[in-house]
Amino acid sequence: MGRAVVVATCALNQWALDFEGNLERIFRSIDIAKSKGARYRLGPELEICGYGCSDHYYESDTLLHSFQVLEKLLQSPATQDIICDVGMPVLHRNVRYNCRVIFLNKKILLIRPKISLANAGNYRELRWFTPWSKARHVEEYFLPRIIQEVTGQETVPFGDAVLATNDTCLGAEICEELWAPNSPHIEMGLDGVEIFTNSSGSHHVLRKAHARVDLVNSATAKNGGIYILANQKGCDGDRLYYDGCAMISMNGETVAQGTQFSLDDVEVLVATLDLEDVRSYRAEISSRNLAASKVSPYPRVKVDFALSCPDDVAVPTCMPIQWRHHSPEEEISLGPACWLWDYLRRSKQAGFLLPLSGGIDSSATACIVYSMCHQVCLAVKNGNADVLADARRIVNDETYIPKDPREFCKRIFTTCYMASENSSQDTCKRAKLLAEQIGSYHINLNIDAAVKAVVGIFSVVTGRTPQFSVCGGSSRESLALQNVQARIRMVLAYLFAQLTLWARGMPGGLLVLGSANVDESLRGYLTKYDCSSADINPIGGISKTDLKNFIQYCLENFQLTALSSIMSAPPTAELEPLVDGQVAQTDEADMGMTYAELSIYGKLRKIAKAGPYSMFCKLINMWKEICTPREVASKVKHFFRMYSVNRHKMTTLTPSYHAENYSPDDNRFDLRPFLYNTSWSWQFRCIDKQVNTL
């Protein structure tokens, strides 16, 4: 009868400009799709060149190599008898578009340019691409000669059209178009399109997955149809981690779910679905049918091919499933761990070095590395040959098989406690115990000699010796002495990262991990070029509150009992002298605000787009039970003073895993000045005026 269609979607760990590797992963996905009987295969956005090429999109080389990869795909017997839908940049009439190239049996059926470009937050697509603005319009695209020689076609359709096969009709969306208020699937569905496809480059943010799933399911809940979503996965060379979650939905319900976090480079979902279920679902929606009778038709590209088989009455079809979401603590355990693994294997380094202070932030970073080791051992146990090959190369042992996370951790992870005369025995013991429990190679060292040498140079040159505040020095002297300690630790971290393995008679070097959380970065509570300066930072986009919950999760799930005392200890930088052998300095006292308050300030500043006055107006209601308006005003002013004084530090912030939408990352996400008038005179005067009226 020709009603059961077999379709495939995938999540691929593509890498920007890795044309060789990207092609290999595309071929693997097509092979898997065909082996499972699929007649249509959808891949992620810009999968041929990798999504994160950024300004490399300006280069003609990127376009050339993308077409060379397309040539290989068209020529290959692997792509025969299956509609392949791949993503790449295309230059049409000297305008660059983000496109889907859909082909079958060495013939290009349609090049479909993206209509709505992502241009907020981490996305800058309008910098490199132009949106296709000609709705339901198709033009001729003249193919490059290398493609003409394969397809025998001089021109192919380019524009906003749909495919009409012998048994159904397919229409494409690209990533952002699903999120747009006027998504193309609405009118395509009214025009009889039964299968919607979406190739995405959607990155992970804590607590975001449900929004994507809800959008996909709602796309077909009102209008009926089959929705297929493909997504990029992994770290493709930047701060973002693309979290897979490929899925297939029908009539508002999920029928196939891919993993969100996985070390598999290629994941393919295949579903068999009954077109008659779509047609009967639509038949009883009278409002939909009335709207459909008035819709303007899409150009249809006729394809002499079917996604179903003639005799398919007995073919079983997929049933709805319940989507299982990860908790935020699981997301922190898995997402940054997968990102670290991609960074480690692709940078061809031999492991990580972490300055481990015994506090929550560095301990959380250590736990993420330990989680990564768990994921590697699990992937190898499940037969992932790619992960095994990468692990063997990293440890420089062709016979090695990672089975025990602690043993693997010992090989690739070095932790270092850098004590000073201001460090307590408690933090030293906590760091050592955690290192023992996760299995890292642990180093204890003392930085006092280096600190005294640096301060001594200053004293020789100036004839003055700075003192801490508790010893009679000024705040300037005390801060400078704290910063010297912090910066010495950064210098030593890089020295040991470069030479620790050499000293142990092992090859390679280590990547230095940072451990400043998103709240401290927002407040600027870090020393420029201290241990917050590293190669990468897996927790730089995660709040202190979430990190505390993650520590509790690790305590319970990894049985890391050392975390219990770390959880209960007050956060401290340990840069000022001890008082009676005990730590007198705490982070929240230094900052003049709590971590809970910082998270609120961050969300209001970035997500709610609140300046000082708007933030004050929102907080007098949020905090009316605990603060007077004058106290709220004082807190808001203090935050904005500290934020603006320290904003310059964001220009040198270590590349961090992006997990939170109030990240202050200055690179491309949070674009603001780094030289402010820190008095905020006009804004604060508005606050004062409002306080006086309350």
Side-chain angles (χ1 to χ4, degrees):
M1 291 179 63
R3 52 192 280 174
V5 295
V6 187
V7 293
T9 184
C10 57
L12 303 183
N13 195 336
Q14 303 298 74
W15 190 9
L17 303 178
D18 179 24
F19 293 98
E20 197 88 41
N22 293 347
L23 174 61
E24 187 268 335
R25 287 181 284 272
I26 292 170
F27 270 134
R28 280 167 59 188
S29 70
I30 294 170
D31 288 341
I32 295 170
K34 288 183 70 175
S35 71
K36 295 183 177 181
R39 307 272 285 172
Y40 170 87
R41 175 266 181 203
L42 176 71
E45 186 174 11
L46 294 165
E47 61 188 301
I48 283 180
C49 56
Y51 182 82
C53 293
S54 299
D55 281 1
H56 289 288
Y57 286 122
Y58 292 135
E59 300 167 4
S60 60
D61 282 12
T62 304
L63 295 165
L64 169 65
H65 299 326
S66 294
F67 272 110
Q68 289 170 337
V69 170
L70 180 62
E71 177 191 19
K72 297 287 186 186
L73 289 168
L74 287 163
Q75 289 174 332
S76 173
T79 60
Q80 298 301 294
D81 300 320
I82 183 171
I83 295 178
C84 294
D85 187 336
V86 299
M88 60 180 277
V90 176
L91 196 69
H92 174 55
R93 299 181 182 177
N94 290 341
V95 179
R96 190 181 302 99
Y97 296 98
N98 174 348
C99 293
R100 303 305 298 173
V101 179
I102 308 171
F103 62 91
L104 169 68
N105 295 337
K106 296 187 178 181
K107 300 291 183 184
I108 293 176
L109 306 174
L110 172 68
I111 300 178
R112 200 285 201 173
K114 192 171 183 178
I115 295 168
S116 299
L117 299 184
N119 208 57
N122 285 294
Y123 295 103
R124 293 287 180 274
E125 290 182 10
L126 279 171
R127 180 179 173 94
W128 309 299
F129 300 109
T130 299
W132 182 256
S133 57
K134 303 172 184 178
R136 297 174 177 79
H137 177 76
V138 174
E139 297 175 352
E140 282 189 319
Y141 176 77
F142 285 82
L143 292 169
R145 277 178 292 181
I146 60 170
I147 304 300
Q148 289 184 28
E149 290 169 2
V150 178
T151 67
Q153 300 165 289
E154 183 179 4
T155 64
V156 295
F158 185 103
D160 185 18
V162 297
L163 299 182
T165 65
N166 294 336
D167 50 0
T168 188
C169 189
L170 299 91
E173 289 188 326
I174 305 176
C175 198
E176 178 73 9
E177 293 167 14
L178 170 64
W179 302 77
N182 57 340
S183 295
H185 70 256
I186 299 170
E187 299 231 332
M188 285 195 294
L190 294 175
D191 191 33
V193 172
E194 295 177 324
I195 300 175
F196 311 102
T197 66
N198 187 302
S199 49
S200 281
S202 182
H203 67 272
H204 174 238
V205 173
L206 288 173
R207 306 172 179 89
K208 172 188 171 183
H210 71 89
R212 189 191 300 139
V213 173
D214 291 347
L215 275 173
V216 170
N217 285 332
S218 66
T220 58
K222 290 193 295 184
N223 205 359
I226 296 166
Y227 203 103
I228 309 169
L229 181 133
N231 195 21
Q232 166 92 357
K233 68 187 301 189
C235 166
D236 80 336
D238 208 330
R239 293 160 171 78
L240 305 182
Y241 178 80
Y242 298 91
D243 59 341
C245 289
M247 65 178 291
I248 301 173
S249 171
M250 184 171 72
N251 297 340
E253 295 184 290
T254 303
V255 294
Q257 171 190 354
T259 58
Q260 185 174 15
F261 307 108
S262 164
L263 299 188
D264 295 333
D265 283 345
V266 177
E267 181 182 14
V268 179
L269 294 182
V270 176
T272 303
L273 301 165
D274 192 339
L275 291 171
E276 291 304 317
D277 288 339
V278 173
R279 293 160 187 165
S280 59
Y281 184 90
R282 286 178 169 178
E284 65 176 359
I285 308 175
S286 59
S287 59
R288 181 241 167 229
N289 297 333
L290 285 170
S293 66
K294 306 171 189 175
V295 74
S296 300
Y298 276 79
R300 275 167 160 73
V301 177
K302 294 181 180 179
V303 184
D304 187 15
F305 187 76
L307 303 188
S308 59
C309 298
D311 186 17
D312 58 5
V313 175
V315 174
T317 56
C318 296
M319 302 301 292
I321 61 172
Q322 187 66 41
W323 189 283
R324 194 262 179 188
H325 290 287
H326 291 288
S327 69
E329 294 75 32
E330 289 174 325
E331 290 185 80
I332 295 170
S333 177
L334 297 171
C338 293
W339 183 74
L340 284 180
W341 177 247
D342 276 349
Y343 204 100
L344 177 60
R345 67 192 180 108
R346 287 174 168 170
S347 66
K348 302 191 185 307
Q349 298 302 299
F352 300 111
L353 180 137
L354 171 69
L356 184 61
S357 69
I360 283 179
D361 294 338
S362 61
S363 298
T365 302
C367 288
I368 288 171
V369 177
Y370 184 59
S371 175
M372 182 200 80
C373 294
H374 263 274
Q375 298 308 308
V376 168
C377 292
L378 182 62
V380 170
K381 182 180 178 181
N382 291 336
N384 190 318
D386 293 333
V387 172
L388 178 59
D390 285 330
R392 286 174 169 173
R393 181 182 50 76
I394 289 167
V395 303
N396 195 41
D397 183 348
E398 288 303 314
T399 63
Y400 176 66
I401 300 176
K403 297 179 181 178
D404 176 14
R406 293 185 75 255
E407 188 275 334
F408 184 53
C409 201
K410 188 82 169 180
R411 289 174 177 255
I412 60 98
F413 190 31
T414 298
T415 50
C416 182
Y417 182 82
M418 302 185 192
S420 76
E421 61 186 5
N422 303 320
S423 303
S424 68
Q425 283 299 309
D426 290 339
T427 53
C428 180
K429 290 175 183 176
R430 290 197 292 264
K432 183 180 179 183
L433 183 57
L434 179 60
E436 289 174 355
Q437 291 183 358
I438 65 175
S440 66
Y441 179 82
H442 190 62
I443 299 169
N444 271 314
L445 60 85
N446 191 290
I447 67 170
D448 286 339
V451 172
K452 288 175 182 174
V454 172
V455 175
I457 293 172
F458 178 84
S459 298
V460 168
V461 172
T462 65
R464 304 286 299 276
T465 301
Q467 302 291 331
F468 283 103
S469 299
V470 296
C471 301
S474 65
S475 59
R476 280 195 295 174
E477 295 169 65
S478 186
L479 183 59
L481 290 173
Q482 293 180 63
N483 287 344
V484 168
Q485 297 170 72
R487 289 176 176 135
I488 287 292
R489 287 186 170 120
M490 184 271 288
V491 172
L492 288 171
Y494 273 97
L495 176 63
F496 276 80
Q498 286 184 288
L499 295 180
T500 292
L501 296 184
W502 167 77
R504 295 168 62 190
M506 300 164 65
L510 303 174
L511 293 164
V512 178
L513 295 180
S515 58
N517 64 62
V518 70
D519 296 324
E520 289 173 346
S521 297
L522 174 67
R523 161 63 173 74
Y525 185 63
L526 50 90
T527 299
K528 208 171 187 179
Y529 306 117
D530 69 347
C531 276
S532 64
S533 298
D535 292 313
I536 50 174
N537 179 358
I539 69 163
I542 304 173
S543 72
K544 192 77 162 189
T545 301
D546 281 336
L547 288 174
K548 286 181 178 178
N549 294 334
F550 169 63
I551 289 286
Q552 183 64 40
Y553 169 88
C554 293
L555 175 62
E556 296 169 1
N557 288 271
F558 294 145
Q559 288 77 52
L560 300 175
T561 56
L563 296 174
S564 181
S565 60
I566 291 169
M567 277 279 291
S568 59
T572 174
E574 289 196 331
L575 295 172
E576 293 184 2
L578 303 175
V579 176
D580 298 327
Q582 299 297 313
V583 173
Q585 179 185 27
T586 64
D587 291 352
E588 291 187 338
D590 276 359
M591 292 190 298
M593 59 192 76
T594 67
Y595 282 107
E597 289 172 344
L598 258 176
S599 290
I600 294 171
Y601 297 146
K603 289 170 184 173
L604 290 176
R605 181 198 70 100
K606 177 66 178 176
I607 300 173
K609 316 295 188 294
Y613 180 72
S614 294
M615 187 179 292
F616 165 76
C617 292
K618 291 177 184 294
L619 287 177
I620 55 174
N621 290 309
M622 287 176 62
W623 290 348
K624 62 184 177 183
E625 303 297 330
I626 56 174
C627 293
T628 66
R630 196 168 298 280
E631 288 171 334
V632 173
S634 177
K635 287 175 178 287
V636 169
K637 290 178 183 179
H638 180 60
F639 165 72
F640 272 97
R641 284 194 196 98
M642 293 300 99
Y643 157 75
S644 55
V645 164
N646 290 295
R647 178 66 190 183
H648 66 97
K649 296 177 182 177
M650 298 307 96
T651 63
T652 60
L653 206 62
T654 294
S656 301
Y657 181 96
H658 181 88
E660 190 62 76
N661 276 332
Y662 68 91
S663 167
D665 169 33
D666 182 73
N667 175 263
R668 72 177 186 186
F669 180 71
D670 190 38
L671 305 182
R672 299 167 192 255
F674 55 85
L675 177 62
Y676 280 92
N677 179 344
T678 58
S679 67
W680 300 87
S681 54
W682 188 284
Q683 295 92 329
F684 287 1
R685 194 158 56 245
C686 289
I687 292 175
D688 292 338
K689 184 177 179 180
Q690 191 65 46
V691 168
N692 292 331
T693 65
L694 294 173

